[in-house]
Amino acid sequence: MSYSKIRLYGAGGHSQIIKSILIHNGISVTDVFDDDPALSHPNFDNIIISSRKRANGFPHKGDPFIIAIGDNKQRYEVSKFLKSEYSKAIHGSAIIDSSVKIGQGTVVYAGAAIQPNTTIGNHVIINTLASVDHDNIIEDFVHISPNATLCGLVEIGEGTHVGAGAVIIPEIKVGKWCVIGAGAVIIRDVPDYSIVVGNPGRVIKMKTGF
């Protein structure tokens, strides 16, 4: 379903890019909510102060939302708070095969390419000039950073952040809530909660959770 009006949750730098995509697509941003407007991007004004601790008073009903927050954990937490419909934001310059499946709340930035038979979950970020090849599976709350390259038959687990310029060779499975460092080259499977850096990528730390 397409919408003509969308609300944003989050008013940082990531949010202004999503707002730009929506305006480019002829979609109005009606309201912008943030838990701490004092930390918002200077290009935003009239931000509505929100608090996840006051869920009962929040206007959940209305225009659909996009959670405009770059941090995967924060996007996950807001999604558990919001009882609203979600929309997508896809830049017109992105190249997306007709067979690709894209979940709700997901955003695709300028110049990204997503190849056939790829499935992308909910609340995912495919950032500027990212390349996602054929038959990938990208689970919910993932962030694929600018210029990252995912070759064919790659799987990325929930909440994982693939850093700028990272490369993941074909048929690799990256677990959930991992961090793949900028420029890393991943040539073997990565277990859940790993922090990986370097070429070839090596696990330098295991997180205790997301």
Side-chain angles (χ1 to χ4, degrees):
M1 181 182 297
S2 60
Y3 298 95
S4 61
K5 297 178 180 179
I6 288 176
R7 296 182 289 175
L8 299 180
Y9 199 110
H14 181 69
S15 185
Q16 70 162 341
I17 301 174
I18 294 176
K19 181 179 179 181
S20 174
I21 293 172
L22 294 171
I23 292 171
H24 182 268
N25 292 344
I27 299 169
S28 299
V29 175
T30 56
D31 295 305
V32 179
F33 296 81
D34 199 277
D35 294 330
D36 189 356
L39 300 177
S40 65
H41 193 277
N43 283 351
F44 283 104
D45 54 17
N46 300 320
I47 299 166
I48 300 171
I49 298 174
S50 175
S51 173
R52 295 171 225 172
K53 297 178 182 178
R54 298 196 301 271
N56 291 336
F58 189 87
H60 295 279
K61 294 183 178 180
D63 297 323
F65 269 97
I66 292 175
I67 304 173
I69 301 172
D71 180 86
N72 296 347
K73 181 180 177 182
Q74 291 292 317
R75 244 180 8 271
Y76 172 86
E77 291 177 348
V78 171
S79 77
K80 301 307 177 186
F81 157 73
L82 283 177
K83 300 175 179 64
S84 306
E85 293 185 43
Y86 292 102
S87 187
K88 309 169 191 178
I90 299 174
H91 196 280
S93 67
I95 301 171
I96 303 174
D97 186 80
S98 61
S99 65
V100 172
K101 298 178 181 177
I102 298 178
Q104 294 302 309
T106 288
V107 297
V108 182
Y109 281 14
I114 307 174
Q115 302 292 2
N117 303 315
T118 285
T119 299
I120 297 175
N122 300 316
H123 307 292
V124 171
I125 300 167
I126 307 295
N127 218 310
T128 309
L129 296 174
S131 176
V132 179
D133 218 300
H134 67 92
D135 297 286
N136 276 216
I137 298 173
I138 299 177
E139 296 186 2
D140 299 347
F141 307 106
V142 167
H143 187 162
I144 308 297
S145 294
N147 287 298
T149 298
L150 277 56
C151 295
L153 298 162
V154 167
E155 297 184 26
I156 306 293
E158 179 187 84
T160 285
H161 189 158
V162 178
V167 175
I168 303 178
I169 70 168
E171 301 185 36
I172 292 295
K173 184 173 182 178
V174 178
K176 64 183 179 181
W177 297 102
C178 295
V179 176
I180 306 300
V185 178
I186 307 304
I187 63 172
R188 58 181 62 88
D189 290 352
V190 176
D192 296 345
Y193 306 112
S194 298
I195 299 176
V196 182
V197 301
N199 178 8
R202 66 189 188 281
V203 177
I204 61 167
K205 185 176 180 181
M206 300 296 293
K207 300 190 292 181
T208 57
F210 70 9

